[in-house]
Amino acid sequence: LKIDGSRGEGGGQILRTSVTLSCITGTPVRIVNIRRGRKVPGLRAQHLAAIRLLARVCGARVEGLEIGSEVLEFEPGPVQSMDLSQDIGTAGSIPLVLQTLIVPVAAASKRLKLDIMGGTDVSWSPTTDYTRYVLAAAYSRMGINFSVDVKRRGYYPRGGGRISLEVHPSRGVAAVSLTGRPGRIANLFCTYCGYSRDAISRSVQPLLDTLERGGLQVNTLLSGEEAADKGAAVMMYTQDPASITGSDGLMGREGFPAGISGRLLESPGTDINLSDMLVVPASIAEGTTVYRIGSISKHLETNLYVASKITGCKYGVGRTYDGYEIRISGRSDAGIQ
């Protein structure tokens, strides 16, 4: 199956989603024009790490797996339980690598233990705490369970972070409904290295003030942790039976981005980042997944396109008074290996 890697967001997302669903369904894919529109086109180190690991998990035949390659062929075999280790070698995003692995392993009713080094909290990626709290909470409702243990934080430029991932066998992927407003209790986590606790507290306070003005009760944890470079990340989330929403960001020259708290308050049902992460499991779930979001991202559009092309799932996007509603009718018969 040919996938045009320049379509939609045109970056690493379409590549990761394509090989992930290829592994799940057993469908060989040929991805062309990989990151064609980027300043540095082709595969980068974190893409190689994710694909190498996925290929080992399913015994895939892979061609074009090298830095700068704009064409990749991925022909998967059956998924197997494994214990693996991988060093990305840069500050490449560990959370993005994990996204590629979790659903294929769990959906195949296999297990995975992975020790991986790289960037835990870096730009253009969800933070590790978003992955282990927000993504894990959403996936667990769909029958996909995993745990993440942070051994060491890794920031740009050297990375060097270390994470242990454990994925558990699923008894079946289920649809989920996330259409309610966010809960009234929020949890805020901030991890840092190279800053004083007072400096971190001052940077976090405006975020807390915004959440509290929005009517939320906030539980806060600030944690100084070991890392090779100076850095800090903040993540906040709420969850209740009808919603899971999160928001995160990295410390910049003027502190944390001011809009982090606002994004959490404005998210109906779920947030813009989780909205595209739900597509892969929803596309192979039993039943129809429904969730509401404030806006539609290129990542979401890309994942819906790729999922429908590889699995044959049906999806719809409708307007609501506060944003959009996404409906994905899963193909639980899509050939899970």
Side-chain angles (χ1 to χ4, degrees):
L1 185 65
K2 185 178 178 180
I3 303 289
D4 184 354
S6 66
R7 186 175 176 124
E9 57 86 36
Q13 185 68 55
I14 192 168
L15 171 70
R16 287 187 297 271
T17 302
S18 296
V19 295
T20 296
L21 286 168
S22 169
C23 179
I24 292 171
T25 63
T27 305
V29 293
R30 186 172 191 264
I31 308 162
V32 300
N33 301 323
I34 296 172
R35 303 181 73 249
R36 171 66 62 87
R38 295 298 195 258
K39 185 177 181 181
V40 181
L43 297 173
R44 311 309 303 160
Q46 72 185 34
H47 307 130
L48 266 61
I51 296 167
R52 283 196 184 110
L53 286 167
L54 191 62
R56 290 175 69 183
V57 163
C58 67
R61 179 190 68 81
V62 186
E63 293 186 8
L65 191 58
E66 57 187 44
I67 294 291
S69 173
E70 294 185 35
V71 179
L72 181 87
E73 292 187 3
F74 190 90
E75 185 176 343
V79 175
Q80 303 294 331
S81 295
M82 288 193 177
D83 292 359
L84 299 174
S85 62
Q86 179 76 45
D87 185 350
I88 297 176
T90 66
S93 168
I94 293 175
L96 291 180
V97 173
L98 301 190
Q99 281 183 34
T100 309
L101 299 167
I102 292 167
V103 181
V105 173
S109 298
K110 304 298 182 182
R111 63 160 189 84
L112 172 66
K113 289 185 178 180
L114 171 67
D115 189 88
I116 184 169
M117 296 183 65
T120 61
D121 305 288
V122 294
S123 299
W124 311 110
S125 164
T127 60
T128 292
D129 286 332
Y130 183 98
T131 301
R132 68 172 174 170
Y133 292 112
V134 181
L135 185 62
Y139 275 12
S140 69
R141 298 189 191 186
M142 305 182 81
I144 298 170
N145 293 288
F146 69 91
S147 60
V148 171
D149 184 16
V150 181
K151 306 294 186 182
R152 176 184 169 94
R153 295 283 169 174
Y155 303 111
Y156 183 82
R158 286 181 289 178
R162 183 182 171 196
I163 283 177
S164 292
L165 166 74
E166 186 166 0
V167 181
H168 306 286
S170 173
R171 296 181 179 178
V173 182
V176 69
S177 177
L178 300 170
T179 58
R181 299 298 301 177
R184 293 294 89 191
I185 298 176
N187 296 287
L188 184 150
F189 300 95
C190 180
T191 57
Y192 60 93
C193 178
Y195 293 93
S196 70
R197 188 176 180 86
D198 285 345
I200 292 296
S201 295
R202 289 194 298 271
S203 295
V204 166
Q205 192 58 52
L207 306 180
L208 289 173
D209 291 343
T210 300
L211 293 177
E212 289 172 350
R213 284 196 300 270
L216 297 186
Q217 175 186 332
V218 186
N219 300 317
T220 305
L221 176 64
L222 310 182
S223 177
E225 301 186 16
E226 181 183 358
D229 296 293
K230 183 178 182 179
V234 66
M235 191 281 294
M236 57 193 72
Y237 77 99
T238 71
Q239 64 170 312
D240 61 23
S243 70
I244 301 174
T245 63
S247 184
D248 59 2
L250 306 178
M251 176 74 87
R253 293 182 179 180
E254 299 181 0
F256 292 113
I260 297 176
S261 296
R263 290 200 299 270
L264 186 74
L265 293 169
E266 294 166 3
S267 298
T270 191
D271 63 85
I272 192 170
N273 293 320
L274 186 58
S275 69
D276 66 74
M277 300 178 199
L278 292 172
V279 173
V280 168
S283 71
I284 57 166
E286 181 74 35
T288 300
T289 291
V290 185
Y291 54 93
R292 291 183 179 175
I293 52 175
S295 60
I296 295 176
S297 68
K298 283 291 186 181
H299 283 80
L300 174 58
E301 291 179 344
T302 299
N303 278 6
L304 289 170
Y305 162 73
V306 174
S308 65
K309 187 167 184 177
I310 295 179
T311 70
C313 72
K314 304 297 182 183
Y315 68 89
V317 179
R319 287 301 303 262
T320 65
Y321 71 94
D322 55 357
Y324 298 85
E325 182 175 275
I326 310 299
R327 304 180 69 90
I328 304 170
S329 296
R331 285 289 303 275
S332 56
D333 61 343
I336 296 174
Q337 298 199 84

